[in-house]
Amino acid sequence: MTVNSHKDRLSRRSRMMRLRGLMRKEFLQVLRDPSSMAIAFLMPVALLFLFGYGVSLDAEHVPIAIVVEHPDAGTSGLVSAFRQSRYFEPVILSDVRQAEDALLAGNVEGIVHLREDFSRQAETPGGAPVQVIVRGTDANNGRIVSGYVEGAWATWLRHRAQEEGTDVPLPVQVQERVWYNSEMRSRNFLVPGLIAVIMTLIGALLTAMIMAREWERGTMEALLVTPVSIQEVLLGKLVPYFILGMGGLALSVLMAFFLFGVPLRGSLAVLLLASSLFLLAALGMGLLISIMAKNQFVAGQAAIIATFLPAFILSGFIFDISSMPLAVRVLTHLIAARYFVAILQTVFLAGNIWTVIVPNAAALLLMSAFFLGMSRLKSRKRLE
């Protein structure tokens, strides 16, 4: 064994001992400061409860007014179709003015108007006209209600034709087959996206204040006069919060599977690898903010503004990216959550679709390298 190789071994051993010491110090800091534990575990649980149950694109039990000017056997069949639908809570009225007042007051979302001669005209070749008025202040909800009314109308027509032993004269027979989310539950689509948005905030917040805290407390100066390198300082702070973040992410995945009933059709190993890449990017972003801010309040505010809002709006979690203007679509490529949302929704609902997973995972790897590299470049082992 040469003298140089012996020195190298001693140097590596010293680095490992310093790194273990730094990580142990950070773990003790986490245990003494419950705010980090709360951010890692309580915040994702609270946000998943709040958004998972509060945000839904499904319209169920929609109040709707059905105006029946002349009740008879023909109108009762159509009213029954609405009553049996889980999408509506029909309110039967005899005067269209009452229905309009209810619509203006926001008590109902739409009006179905069956005129006095509805049953007689339904027997004629031209059929009976049915007036449908939908409250359109919320355009998306208006389209959903309109579609549901057409569905209830089509169901009634089919039942009526079966009772009469005839066929409904439809020029096109649609045979629907929904892949991946056959129950058409919006929650199956939203909850995986929520995990990405929430973990963006959690990951950035976990590391955003650690360097700033050292500067504020004056402990950074004491750290800089020790033999530790700046890489060891960054790594010693990153590893404990990476473990904390993965714990919070695992908790979110368990909640999605067991509490919200979202199917997990892909590989757990792929989910773990993609989550690691995403968390490194989020922690790296928080670390960079922390290094530049050097103030806990400013770092916390910057982390929320730079991560949560862009992730919520531009990740494709709710708003379809392909429908956005070109300039905004280009901007979404700078949002790490965009790639993680695509991976999570694919792994949860469709399985291991490599044409989706590989390019998005590569983008996350590049973003992780960028933020961690910038954190290293912006860190200087000197007193200012």
Side-chain angles (χ1 to χ4, degrees):
M1 181 182 295
T2 63
V3 176
N4 287 336
S5 63
H6 181 67
K7 286 182 177 177
D8 289 342
R9 286 186 59 187
L10 287 177
S11 175
R12 282 198 298 271
R13 186 178 298 174
S14 300
R15 285 199 297 270
M16 288 304 298
M17 288 178 63
R18 289 197 297 267
L19 189 57
R20 280 200 298 269
L22 285 169
M23 287 192 287
R24 183 171 179 274
K25 166 190 167 296
E26 208 59 42
F27 273 121
L28 289 174
Q29 179 64 38
V30 169
L31 293 175
R32 288 170 184 165
D33 183 6
S35 62
S36 298
M37 302 289 281
I39 290 174
F41 295 108
L42 290 184
M43 190 178 284
V45 171
L47 290 176
L48 264 179
F49 264 114
L50 183 66
F51 287 106
Y53 285 112
V55 178
S56 174
L57 301 181
D58 299 326
E60 294 185 0
H61 307 296
V62 177
I64 190 166
I66 301 181
V67 180
V68 184
E69 292 186 356
H70 181 69
D72 56 23
T75 58
S76 66
L78 183 55
V79 170
S80 177
F82 280 96
R83 280 185 170 146
Q84 291 172 5
S85 170
R86 65 187 173 94
Y87 302 115
F88 296 111
E89 285 188 358
V91 179
I92 311 302
L93 301 172
S94 58
D95 187 356
V96 72
R97 288 187 179 277
Q98 293 178 348
E100 288 175 354
D101 290 342
L103 189 72
L104 289 173
N107 297 328
V108 297
E109 291 295 328
I111 300 172
V112 177
H113 187 189
L114 307 182
R115 296 186 186 280
E116 187 177 6
D117 55 350
F118 171 80
S119 296
R120 185 183 61 77
Q121 287 201 29
E123 302 298 331
T124 63
V130 176
Q131 184 184 29
V132 177
I133 302 171
V134 175
R135 182 183 173 84
T137 49
D138 181 342
N140 186 55
N141 197 40
R143 280 192 292 269
I144 292 173
V145 172
S146 178
Y148 287 175
V149 169
E150 290 178 10
W153 170 256
T155 302
W156 177 74
L157 279 177
R158 280 197 299 273
H159 289 167
R160 190 164 179 264
Q162 287 173 358
E163 289 173 358
E164 295 175 354
T166 58
D167 294 328
V168 180
L170 296 176
V172 177
Q173 294 287 334
V174 179
Q175 296 183 350
E176 292 184 348
R177 184 181 176 190
V178 179
W179 283 16
Y180 308 132
N181 187 11
S182 56
E183 298 174 352
M184 301 288 284
R185 292 175 69 220
S186 65
R187 192 165 288 160
N188 287 356
F189 173 77
L190 291 176
V191 170
L194 263 177
I195 294 175
V197 173
I198 291 170
M199 291 315 300
T200 304
L201 176 64
I202 305 297
L205 271 181
L206 278 174
T207 48
M209 289 177 280
I210 55 172
M211 295 294 277
R213 184 172 57 209
E214 298 280 4
W215 283 109
E216 279 190 355
R217 293 178 178 176
T219 50
M220 182 57 83
E221 287 85 349
L223 200 60
L224 293 180
V225 296
T226 62
V228 296
S229 66
I230 198 66
Q231 292 93 326
E232 291 165 356
V233 172
L234 294 178
L235 198 58
K237 291 190 172 297
L238 196 64
V239 171
Y241 292 100
F242 176 81
I243 295 172
L244 266 186
M246 287 302 288
L249 205 144
L251 186 60
S252 303
V253 170
L254 290 175
M255 285 180 66
F257 187 75
F258 290 107
L259 184 64
F260 295 106
V262 182
L264 179 59
R265 300 195 172 100
S267 164
L268 201 58
V270 172
L271 181 63
L272 187 66
L273 179 62
S275 302
S276 303
L277 292 174
F278 170 74
L279 200 57
L280 281 176
L283 291 172
M285 190 187 304
L287 202 59
L288 182 60
I289 291 172
S290 182
I291 291 168
M292 297 180 73
K294 294 185 178 179
N295 178 286
Q296 290 190 72
F297 177 77
V298 175
Q301 296 296 313
I304 292 172
I305 294 171
T307 57
F308 186 68
L309 291 178
F312 196 87
I313 298 170
L314 301 177
S315 66
F317 153 59
I318 288 184
F319 306 108
D320 183 23
I321 293 176
S322 62
S323 304
M324 297 176 182
L326 178 61
V328 181
R329 288 205 303 273
V330 172
L331 191 62
T332 61
H333 288 283
L334 303 177
I335 310 298
R338 170 202 167 119
Y339 307 105
F340 195 42
V341 166
I343 292 175
L344 282 179
Q345 289 175 342
T346 301
V347 172
F348 267 100
L349 297 178
N352 297 336
I353 310 296
W354 298 111
T355 51
V356 176
I357 293 170
V358 171
N360 285 291
L364 286 177
L365 181 63
L366 283 176
M367 295 194 83
S368 305
F370 173 77
F371 285 119
L372 294 175
M374 286 298 294
S375 299
R376 171 64 188 89
L377 286 176
K378 291 292 181 182
S379 303
R380 295 284 187 274
K381 194 181 177 187
R382 67 185 181 204
L383 299 177
E384 296 178 353

